Amino acid sequence: WLVVYRRTHDFQPSSLPSPYGSCSDETRYDFQPSSLPSPDLEPEWLDDVQKNGELFYLELSEGEEAAALAQVATNYGLSTNHVRFSEKEAEIISDESRKLPDGAPTKAEPKLKRLARILRRKRRPSQSRGPDGGGEDSSSRPVSILKNQAGQRVGVMVQQLKEVFLYLNPKRLGSCSPPPPERGGLLEALLGVVHRPSWGRGQGDPAGRREERITVHGLVPNSPAVKCAQILIGDNLVAVDDVDVTTENIERVLSCIPGPTQVKLTLETASPGGPGEGGVDMSSAPRLRPSPSVSQLVRLLWGEDTVELQMSIGHIPHIVMYLSLKLDSDSPLEEQEILYQYPVSEASSQLKGVRGIFLTLSDMLENVTGGQIVSSSLLLNKQLVHVGYWKESNNLLVIALPAERYRHGKVIQCMLPYSIPCLSQSHIAFCQADHAPRLDHFFCLFFQQLIQPSRLSDSSGSTPTDLSGTLFLDGLPAVRWLPLPPEIKVWGWATTLGHEDFYGMRRLYVTLGSCLFYKGYLIANHLPKEDLLDVSLYCQHYCLLPLASEQRVGQLVVWREVFPRHRSQIHQTKTINNHCTMPGYCQPQGRYFLLIVGLRHFMQCVLLEASGCAAPATGAPGPDCVYVDQVKATLLQLEELDLGMEERLAAPPAPCLSCADWFLPSFVRDRLFLPPSLDQGGGKVVGRSLFGRGARRPSSKRSQSDSGSEGQSDGGVRRPTGLSPHSTPDSARKLVGQRDSLGSGGSDGSRGSGSIFKVGLTSGAENTLFHYVLMEKVQGIFIAPTHRELAQLSGSIHPQLIRNFHHCCLSIRAAFQRSLPQGTHGLGPVKEHGVLFQCKPENWTDQRKPAPTMTYWVIGRMLLEPVPQEFYVCFHDSVAEVPVEMAFRLSFGLAL
Amino acid sequence: MMLQQAGSVQLLCLTANSGVPLFTRGASKQLPFSIIGSLNGVHMFGAGQGVVLAGCETDRGGRMVWRVFQDSVMLIAVSSGGQAQQEGGGAGEEDLHLRRLLENVWNCMVLVLGQDELASLRNVERLKRDLRSCYRLIDQLLEGGQGQEGIMGDLTHCADCLLPPNATLLQEGLDGFTQAADSEFGCLMVHGRIAAATEKWWRLAPQEVVLLSVLTRSLSLSGSASCDTPVFLPQGSPTVAHRLLRFQLLPGVDVCVLCGPSPTLHRAERELVGCFWSPLLEALRGSLAVGERCLPGSVTLRPDVLALLLINRESRRSVSCVKAIITNPNHPPSNHPLPSKARCWELLRLFYTFTTTRYFPLEETPALTLGEKAQRGDSLREDFALGFSHQPLQCYLVTEECKCFSLQTAQHQLYLLTPLSVPTFALSSVATQTLSAITLATGF
């Protein structure tokens, strides 16, 4: 697929609007329904397209591949979805492809793959074809081409031999012709072993080189050889995968490694460091220890391993059932009302046993209270289980989860009706038997995410246990948006799509719109809000956004038919109307397809419509190469933005943030290096300069005086608070005084300049904003500090605070949701809700003094005008209230 | 839809084993028998499968809660809800209300009939007849705050109190009276709230104190000057009855004593009441004059406090009041008319439920297993409150009618309603001032 890259890359940037318009003949595509891509260009995902046309193709990027390889190798043949690895990061690819001369290699390569497939057995790929010629099939690895010579090794085995297992990926080299032997050849490029031919042989005369043992003269940094830490300088490389090697044949042997794989190197070592067996164990240990969480999610996405994962939560009562309400009492079949269920475990069978309750309740409650049942709770083996219901015509969907997930379940429950249509129209989906495996996979993911998210989420994440955070943010009817500085222009990137109406053919699809993600942040969107939310639900469910944010995606191609909620609704009403007025006529139903293409950090989701003004889709069309390539081309073009995006992410947070730890007196201990001018009443100056620069550094004044301000806020209830043992009481008192005096004039930071809201949200001498979330309902987007911004504000209490913030936001948002105007009952519509929290440092050991405390507000506000918005902010208690009001009004100064 | 009234609650009581309906209270229109039967049947079916059905809710806020007491009596509460629930908003709140209700009703039944009779179910017909004596109490509980304004004990499980201006005088009088009646449990009620009680009275379980207040109120509503009622204390002595002697001292002022076989009602009324209470008549009048404000005149509340509920977390007592709304003729009626008094009480109850379910869980009797907690419906809200890694101290809500503020200290919880005109940032100081004003003046 590298080929695809290069080709598209060559066409840009001059002619992006119609990259295929300027193609040479060979690369022209036919716009025919179900047309195969032109034969010289067979994308690697083509084999993965399912019978129904769907495709979920995910390649890991380089860092992950070695880790995942071990498991993958065992599951290789079993998985329905093929697993492959990207050869390298696209960045390097583009670099190399730029270096490449146009023409020859580009044209030669496309045929390669085909050739390789055809000639796989017959012909050893020549060196000039490069190592990626062999395809990925590991079975075709020509391990023993020189096996007949293996006997020679016996005589060589004089010294200690050790075996080292290395993970090699020839594709990492790119597809340029292999490095010439003068520069070390594949040995150096692939393995990372530097061997200098002994003196006496002419270096510039490779042909004259004679057979010679390969001594390790050096190691290339970051190469596999260095990483394994088993190959030492001075070792002799004796064999590769039991094939004896010398300088004579090493290049040839190495070139026969077709794709990413593990090879065994046999080395002769003089040092007694690694005796054979031990060396093997040690070397294999790190390789077999991939971060399990990483691969777990990916493997789950690939559809592997579900059994094991499901077993691990088998004791937890959870089930999903699709029940028919129309009971045919004549039928003798047991359990005939169960149209679908998952999973089958002991705990779930108990729940299955009481499905009568669910059926009765859903039927009865409507009669009794006039409302549809939403949820019920029951005790199962002393464990509280909550059950969510979703009734649809004559069928009932029931999902049961343990109570501690219920809150979460509630969030999910509202998502569920929407995400299932994303899967397919639910009543069709559940009733067709052949959908069962897909549904199983869907619900496996669903339950795994709910019940043991820690096993799925990556361990390296900044806040691995922030369940409420994910729940809150995922529960928002919005997508995380990254505001970009004006110099980064991503607009217009999608205008090229959907205008390929040439060649006089009817186009296959009409592009309804697309959206673009960078590292999981939405950066551009041309989709209507409802579609955007549907798409993001899909991405959420398959965890695509976090995947992309951590650069695990080498290449991602997803293609599937979708049933957007609002479109199908429109359609339904239409047909009903039509049915009334014009019996016999039915509006042609449009079919919608979702195409997601991910490359490294970028991910683009395109919603396509078939029929309508495009050609009607028949059967189950698979992804069309043209569209995939076009999206890829767009993404490649956007790679230029990468730098700018990184800058944006690295930039200091726009409303600048403070870390909670800076506000605790104990923190002062680490921060005593702060300007001494504080003692001379310089607090104001320091504060302002900090503020002006948007630096997120605490002024020690703040941290020391916090106890003072806290007592103040509590009015009469003043309690003694411990100051840092390092700050003398004298200076502390002084500082408290200063702070108080500042408090009155606290708003002087806001004087005049409009730029204030670019640097700091809260006015006053210090920045007291900890965190915020702003949701814009019309566009369906929200803004929150980026993960990186959070990571910058490390500290022990801050992550806790963020968790708490999110948890509180869940509660606040529930309050907003709950009280919608309906009669005079209840509290009525809630417009604003705030909670004040107090936190103490953990492990406070000082018995004599009470632990220092810090108080902060979490406030949510719902605005209906001018645009419906919801804000959630978290700030220190000391902030002057008027600026808070102002901040709310100015929406953080973030222009949307 | 069989429950016509929005927001109405219907209570069904059945025998747990046989499903014989014992009584139905609440809604004007009874549910048909078949429905009652299947509501019970659903629960029984689950119990047979090792699954205990606890409750369910509908998209319109309707809710149903089951609970079996002592393996003998099943109580089902059905609320029709009245308010749209979006995206599964605030769970727990209505739930808390209904669960408290079931618990109170059961305790009520125990209070009147004793646990033995309820648990054994020897004669269902007789039990049905006997249960009629509970109806008045149960109806009072069903009405919640709407029946008698300003009573929150059924919800908070904290005794509603009235802080009289001459507290020590009344306390001494009560102590003497109780002693003379051979008892340690005595209580003086003014306007249905406890104005003074002996130390032992306060040591009763909070729910019992609340229930006895409910009982006394209903007895005093009957208009008799005195009465002698057997009561079983649901937690203290669920099987052995005590006597509750109640005497009306003034209209609106009652004194009651929990005692053994002696003295007789007659003797106590003749010999003790007059002798102990006639010297204190003025003090009693003074406390009666406090009225529903519940606070002595020495406490001046800020003008911008519409209503308040103050709970002492240690002694499990509460004071609540809603200010009479004085419309200032000088000010033109604003865009946001202040909520009526009844609405204020309702809002206060709602806000209390809102806050306790989310932020300030009240400590109940601690030694409960998880399962029991779940049965009691506590686990849900505690679960949410436990989710906070930091301690909530204050919280506020801004609605279309008013602003609600609550704060929690080590000893107190204060819930306030203020008009919309009060700036949000001032709420905190209004609350702290109010709290200190009350605690300093009354030592509550």
Side-chain angles (χ1 to χ4, degrees):
Chain A
W1 56 271
L2 194 65
V3 176
V4 182
Y5 273 10
R6 193 170 307 110
R7 175 191 302 256
T8 48
H9 204 91
D10 287 342
F11 294 136
Q12 68 94 29
S14 56
S15 61
L16 195 85
S18 60
Y20 300 96
S22 60
C23 292
S24 57
D25 283 344
E26 319 159 3
T27 55
R28 189 167 289 166
Y29 299 93
D30 293 331
F31 285 85
Q32 286 169 0
S34 72
S35 74
L36 286 169
S38 55
D40 66 331
L41 186 79
E42 190 173 294
E44 61 295 334
W45 42 260
L46 204 63
D47 293 342
D48 295 343
V49 179
Q50 315 260 314
K51 253 191 298 182
N52 55 10
E54 284 187 8
L55 171 69
F56 190 97
Y57 177 84
L58 173 63
E59 272 179 18
L60 292 182
S61 64
E62 137 175 349
E64 318 295 331
E65 59 193 14
L69 182 75
Q71 287 116 334
V72 164
T74 56
N75 296 321
Y76 195 73
L78 306 173
S79 61
T80 49
N81 291 313
H82 232 76
V83 179
R84 296 211 187 89
F85 303 103
S86 77
E87 33 252 75
K88 67 200 329 276
E89 303 185 14
E91 198 174 59
I92 304 168
I93 291 168
S94 55
D95 281 345
E96 286 184 2
S97 53
R98 270 190 211 107
K99 276 182 234 153
L100 278 169
D102 295 335
T106 328
K107 288 192 175 167
E109 295 284 342
K111 290 175 185 137
L112 181 66
K113 201 154 198 161
R114 209 160 37 115
L115 275 178
R117 277 170 203 238
I118 298 164
L119 303 177
R120 193 171 281 159
R121 302 279 158 145
K122 299 176 186 167
R123 181 169 165 264
R124 196 166 58 209
S126 75
Q127 286 199 23
S128 65
R129 289 289 149 109
D132 61 341
E136 280 81 6
D137 195 348
S138 55
S139 64
S140 71
R141 194 151 50 102
V143 274
S144 21
I145 42 162
L146 298 175
K147 196 109 188 175
N148 50 351
Q149 299 172 9
Q152 292 177 358
R153 205 181 71 205
V154 181
V156 186
M157 257 194 295
V158 196
Q159 282 178 288
Q160 258 181 323
L161 287 183
K162 67 178 172 187
E163 291 178 335
V164 175
F165 289 87
L166 280 191
Y167 172 80
L168 295 183
N169 187 353
K171 296 188 171 184
R172 204 164 289 171
L173 303 173
S175 58
C176 54
S177 51
E182 307 88 60
R183 286 199 272 136
L186 284 173
L187 184 63
E188 197 169 316
L190 187 61
L191 223 53
V193 170
V194 179
H195 168 77
R196 294 279 165 253
S198 51
W199 294 106
R201 325 250 176 245
Q203 266 205 18
D205 182 17
R209 240 198 271 176
R210 293 239 316 266
E211 197 168 304
E212 190 185 323
R213 301 179 64 191
I214 304 166
T215 309
V216 179
H217 289 132
L219 296 169
V220 177
N222 289 324
S223 63
V226 166
K227 280 180 193 158
C228 80
Q230 294 280 309
I231 300 176
L232 304 172
I233 294 176
D235 289 354
N236 288 323
L237 179 61
V238 180
V240 174
D241 273 343
D242 293 331
V243 176
D244 285 358
V245 290
T246 60
T247 47
E248 182 74 2
N249 65 0
I250 179 68
E251 292 300 300
R252 242 181 323 136
V253 171
L254 287 178
S255 72
C256 290
I257 297 172
T261 183
Q262 179 190 317
V263 296
K264 183 175 81 177
L265 303 182
T266 310
L267 292 148
E268 199 182 72
T269 182
S271 60
E277 293 300 309
V280 173
D281 287 343
M282 281 170 65
S283 66
S284 57
R287 187 178 47 79
L288 293 173
R289 196 179 3 99
S291 53
S293 51
V294 168
S295 44
Q296 211 97 57
L297 171 62
V298 174
R299 284 155 72 196
L300 191 55
L301 284 179
W302 279 331
E304 299 162 9
D305 238 26
T306 51
V307 178
E308 187 213 317
L309 280 169
Q310 201 55 49
M311 289 276 278
S312 64
I313 58 168
H315 60 286
I316 294 170
H318 66 280
I319 196 171
V320 54
M321 282 186 290
Y322 198 62
L323 305 171
S324 167
L325 295 177
K326 269 197 299 190
L327 285 186
D328 182 8
S329 50
D330 297 338
S331 167
L333 283 171
E334 284 274 313
E335 302 187 351
Q336 46 142 346
E337 71 271 26
I338 303 179
L339 300 175
Y340 172 80
Q341 68 150 327
Y342 181 86
V344 184
S345 66
E346 198 187 327
S348 72
S349 69
Q350 218 169 348
L351 284 166
K352 193 179 87 180
V354 295
R355 61 190 179 277
I357 293 184
F358 311 141
L359 289 168
T360 316
L361 282 182
S362 78
D363 183 45
M364 206 165 45
L365 245 69
E366 206 171 342
N367 293 330
V368 178
T369 66
Q372 296 267 346
I373 187 167
V374 186
S375 70
S376 66
S377 44
L378 38 88
L379 270 171
L380 179 68
N381 304 330
K382 303 224 160 187
Q383 198 176 1
L384 196 58
V385 175
H386 289 286
V387 187
Y389 298 77
W390 170 249
K391 197 172 169 182
E392 183 190 54
S393 61
N394 284 319
N395 300 316
L396 180 73
L397 178 69
V398 176
I399 292 186
L401 281 167
E404 56 282 11
R405 309 289 162 191
Y406 179 57
R407 198 168 60 244
H408 320 155
K410 281 224 134 184
V411 178
I412 297 302
Q413 187 189 316
C414 53
M415 166 197 131
L416 212 91
Y418 312 144
S419 57
I420 286 179
C422 223
L423 183 79
S424 170
Q425 276 166 323
S426 54
H427 58 274
I428 302 172
F430 282 109
C431 297
Q432 286 182 6
D434 58 330
H435 282 170
R438 283 164 61 214
L439 285 170
D440 285 354
H441 186 232
F442 178 89
F443 284 108
C444 183
L445 254 178
F446 176 79
F447 285 124
Q448 291 292 335
Q449 284 183 22
L450 273 178
I451 293 172
Q452 45 179 10
S454 52
R455 258 185 97 166
L456 292 183
S457 74
D458 74 292
S459 46
S460 62
S462 50
T463 48
T465 53
D466 191 1
L467 234 177
S468 331
T470 35
L471 284 164
F472 171 64
L473 296 178
D474 288 357
L476 287 176
V479 187
R480 193 175 199 139
W481 170 265
L482 184 70
L484 295 176
E487 55 274 20
I488 300 181
K489 290 190 176 64
V490 284
W491 300 104
W493 51 271
T495 49
T496 60
L497 287 167
H499 292 290
E500 64 280 13
D501 218 359
F502 37 97
Y503 301 121
M505 301 293 293
R506 220 174 155 194
R507 58 187 146 176
L508 280 175
Y509 305 104
V510 178
T511 309
L512 294 175
S514 57
C515 57
L516 181 67
F517 293 91
Y518 178 79
K519 284 197 173 180
Y521 303 101
L522 181 72
I523 54 172
N525 175 36
H526 292 271
L527 281 171
K529 178 194 165 193
E530 292 81 7
D531 290 327
L532 175 67
L533 294 183
D534 277 353
V535 166
S536 84
L537 268 180
Y538 179 86
C539 295
Q540 249 170 40
H541 182 75
Y542 287 96
C543 304
L544 296 181
L545 298 181
L547 262 185
S549 69
E550 277 139 38
Q551 195 178 344
R552 301 208 184 139
V553 179
Q555 184 188 9
L556 169 77
V557 183
V558 177
W559 171 270
R560 78 184 315 159
E561 183 165 10
V562 290
F563 305 88
R565 264 175 296 156
H566 76 111
R567 293 186 190 277
S568 59
Q569 276 162 16
I570 291 169
H571 176 74
Q572 274 167 14
T573 53
K574 258 189 199 166
T575 42
I576 288 162
N577 291 341
N578 285 335
H579 202 71
C580 298
T581 53
M582 284 187 285
Y585 172 75
C586 196
Q587 178 109 353
Q589 182 166 7
R591 291 178 66 180
Y592 302 95
F593 295 89
L594 174 66
L595 170 66
I596 301 179
V597 177
L599 282 179
R600 297 210 315 137
H601 296 313
F602 285 99
M603 194 170 88
Q604 183 171 356
C605 310
V606 187
L607 193 64
L608 301 164
E609 182 184 25
S611 73
C613 56
T618 47
D624 192 283
C625 289
V626 181
Y627 288 86
V628 176
D629 290 346
Q630 216 174 358
V631 178
K632 262 187 202 164
T634 320
L635 289 181
L636 278 169
Q637 200 201 15
L638 284 169
E639 300 254 293
E640 292 171 359
L641 290 178
D642 212 13
L643 216 65
M645 297 296 303
E646 280 309 305
E647 265 174 31
R648 161 66 186 88
L649 283 176
C656 71
L657 301 173
S658 288
C659 176
D661 298 60
W662 300 338
F663 289 79
L664 276 170
S666 54
F667 185 76
V668 179
R669 242 171 288 168
D670 315 326
R671 288 281 174 174
L672 277 179
F673 56 81
L674 274 179
S677 61
L678 270 177
D679 285 339
Q680 304 134 30
K684 221 168 194 168
V685 179
V686 172
R688 192 166 319 137
S689 71
L690 286 171
F691 167 68
R693 281 170 207 281
R696 297 162 314 283
R697 182 165 304 181
S699 67
S700 68
K701 170 177 58 67
R702 138 68 48 237
S703 24
Q704 290 180 353
S705 66
D706 186 67
S707 22
S709 69
E710 200 236 304
Q712 191 186 36
S713 73
D714 275 353
V717 201
R718 191 174 270 272
R719 74 195 122 212
T721 331
L723 285 162
S724 149
H726 290 258
S727 68
T728 64
D730 221 298
S731 70
R733 205 177 306 133
K734 203 168 174 182
L735 290 167
V736 171
Q738 264 171 26
R739 201 258 151 208
D740 285 350
S741 69
L742 262 182
S744 55
S747 61
D748 68 348
S750 65
R751 95 183 81 137
S753 75
S755 65
I756 265 157
F757 286 91
K758 278 191 187 152
V759 251
L761 166 60
T762 56
S763 66
E766 292 156 50
N767 183 31
T768 54
L769 179 71
F770 293 138
H771 205 75
Y772 63 89
V773 172
L774 163 62
M775 179 174 74
E776 216 270 43
K777 283 188 192 161
V778 176
Q779 295 180 61
I781 53 173
F782 74 87
I783 302 179
T786 61
H787 300 296
R788 195 171 309 176
E789 282 166 18
L790 287 188
Q792 283 169 355
L793 301 168
S794 54
S796 60
I797 293 178
H798 199 68
Q800 223 178 53
L801 177 133
I802 304 281
R803 270 204 302 283
N804 206 37
F805 167 77
H806 283 138
H807 193 70
C808 190
C809 285
L810 275 177
S811 163
I812 294 174
R813 192 167 150 72
F816 289 160
Q817 299 287 324
R818 182 187 55 93
S819 48
L820 284 151
Q822 276 283 325
T824 52
H825 243 72
L827 279 165
V830 175
K831 292 192 283 191
E832 189 177 329
H833 178 26
V835 186
L836 181 76
F837 289 97
Q838 180 186 53
C839 76
K840 290 175 185 170
E842 280 167 350
N843 316 321
W844 183 256
T845 46
D846 197 340
Q847 296 291 329
R848 287 161 295 163
K849 294 173 191 159
T853 55
M854 194 268 288
T855 51
Y856 62 91
W857 280 102
V858 177
I859 293 182
R861 182 179 288 192
M862 187 161 65
L863 282 189
L864 296 174
E865 292 185 355
V867 271
Q869 287 181 326
E870 283 175 28
F871 303 131
Y872 302 88
V873 283
C874 176
F875 55 84
H876 189 262
D877 186 27
S878 71
V879 74
E881 282 79 3
V882 180
V884 179
E885 291 291 309
M886 201 167 2
F888 270 124
R889 243 169 258 146
L890 290 182
S891 314
F892 307 133
L894 295 169
L896 282 173
Chain B
M1 171 150 170
M2 292 157 191
L3 288 179
Q4 300 295 327
Q5 243 177 311
S8 67
V9 177
Q10 186 159 3
L11 187 79
L12 315 174
C13 179
L14 306 100
T15 60
N17 302 323
S18 48
V20 179
L22 293 174
F23 66 85
T24 340
R25 302 302 297 168
S28 47
K29 213 168 115 189
Q30 264 200 18
L31 288 173
F33 181 74
S34 62
I35 295 278
I36 298 178
S38 43
L39 282 180
N40 180 53
V42 163
H43 190 276
M44 269 166 62
F45 168 68
Q49 308 269 329
V51 170
V52 182
L53 187 60
C56 62
E57 73 172 303
T58 70
D59 55 347
R60 300 220 192 135
R63 202 170 276 273
M64 213 175 278
V65 173
W66 287 260
R67 193 167 162 192
V68 176
F69 293 88
Q70 297 286 327
D71 290 328
S72 67
V73 172
M74 151 116 65
L75 286 175
I76 307 174
V78 185
S79 92
S80 62
Q83 153 204 18
Q85 297 247 339
Q86 275 262 318
E87 297 194 17
E93 287 154 44
E94 181 76 1
D95 222 36
L96 175 79
H97 169 65
L98 289 184
R99 290 192 180 282
R100 281 268 154 93
L101 177 71
L102 291 192
E103 212 179 324
N104 290 336
V105 168
W106 166 255
N107 282 335
C108 235
M109 289 157 67
V110 173
L111 188 80
V112 176
L113 298 179
Q115 195 173 295
D116 284 345
E117 189 171 349
L118 290 169
S120 60
L121 285 179
R122 272 185 296 271
N123 186 340
V124 175
E125 287 308 313
R126 211 187 98 200
L127 182 64
K128 267 191 193 175
R129 221 174 27 245
D130 289 348
L131 278 170
R132 284 192 194 140
S133 53
C134 307
Y135 284 2
R136 209 167 41 190
L137 280 181
I138 292 171
D139 288 349
Q140 217 181 341
L141 289 171
L142 276 174
E143 281 167 3
Q146 289 148 18
Q148 189 167 8
E149 279 186 352
I151 302 299
M152 313 268 293
D154 58 319
L155 184 66
T156 60
H157 280 182
C158 296
D160 288 290
C161 291
L162 179 143
L163 303 179
N166 29 29
T168 37
L169 208 60
L170 293 177
Q171 184 72 47
E172 279 166 14
L174 178 69
D175 286 346
F177 175 73
T178 313
Q179 231 166 13
D182 285 345
S183 168
E184 286 173 311
F185 300 91
C187 163
L188 179 71
M189 312 255 306
V190 178
H191 287 304
R193 296 167 174 85
I194 298 176
T198 59
E199 199 187 329
K200 274 287 168 74
W201 187 278
W202 288 126
R203 292 227 194 117
L204 295 171
Q207 283 153 288
E208 291 170 348
V209 175
V210 169
L211 271 185
L212 288 172
S213 307
V214 174
L215 181 63
T216 317
R217 271 199 296 276
S218 88
L219 290 173
S220 80
L221 280 177
S222 69
S224 64
S226 64
C227 55
D228 181 353
T229 325
V231 290
F232 299 82
L233 296 176
Q235 271 155 49
S237 70
T239 50
V240 180
H242 291 265
R243 290 167 65 220
L244 181 75
L245 304 184
R246 183 198 65 90
F247 309 97
Q248 192 176 60
L249 304 179
L250 287 170
V253 181
D254 293 271
V255 68
C256 37
V257 184
L258 212 54
C259 59
S262 66
T264 60
L265 179 71
H266 227 61
R267 201 202 111 213
E269 192 171 14
R270 244 183 309 121
E271 294 172 14
L272 303 175
V273 171
C275 131
F276 277 94
W277 293 106
S278 46
L280 294 172
L281 219 54
E282 275 317 301
L284 289 175
R285 289 222 170 84
S287 57
L288 204 54
V290 167
E292 287 197 345
R293 189 167 176 258
C294 295
L295 295 168
S298 56
V299 181
T300 43
L301 290 178
R302 291 178 56 117
D304 41 15
V305 175
L306 285 178
L308 72 84
L309 164 67
L310 176 62
I311 290 176
N312 187 320
R313 297 168 70 192
E314 279 170 13
S315 60
R316 306 282 301 208
R317 289 186 287 162
S318 75
V319 174
S320 53
C321 81
V322 168
K323 273 215 222 150
I325 291 157
I326 308 140
T327 39
N328 194 336
N330 298 334
H331 285 281
S334 61
N335 296 336
H336 302 287
L338 294 173
S340 69
K341 208 170 167 186
R343 177 67 181 151
C344 274
W345 282 117
E346 197 187 352
L347 284 173
L348 206 53
R349 286 179 79 92
L350 289 166
F351 181 55
Y352 171 82
T353 335
F354 178 88
T355 314
T356 33
T357 40
R358 286 152 192 263
Y359 309 114
F360 305 154
L362 264 183
E363 307 81 14
E364 300 278 343
T365 24
L368 281 176
T369 65
L370 190 72
E372 282 174 83
K373 275 187 184 170
Q375 268 266 281
R376 294 161 53 100
D378 291 346
S379 71
L380 233 185
R381 63 206 175 90
E382 271 170 28
D383 177 39
F384 203 92
L386 282 179
F388 290 112
S389 45
H390 296 150
Q391 169 77 36
L393 296 179
Q394 307 176 355
C395 88
Y396 71 83
L397 275 181
V398 181
T399 72
E400 284 188 336
E401 290 166 286
C402 64
K403 295 188 179 181
C404 315
F405 190 91
S406 69
L407 68 81
Q408 168 167 278
T409 65
Q411 199 164 4
H412 294 103
Q413 280 180 356
L414 176 69
Y415 301 84
L416 274 188
L417 300 185
T418 68
L420 286 172
S421 54
V422 179
T424 306
F425 61 81
L427 290 174
S428 175
S429 51
V430 169
T432 38
Q433 278 176 28
T434 309
L435 178 63
S436 56
I438 297 174
T439 46
L440 286 178
T442 62
F444 181 74

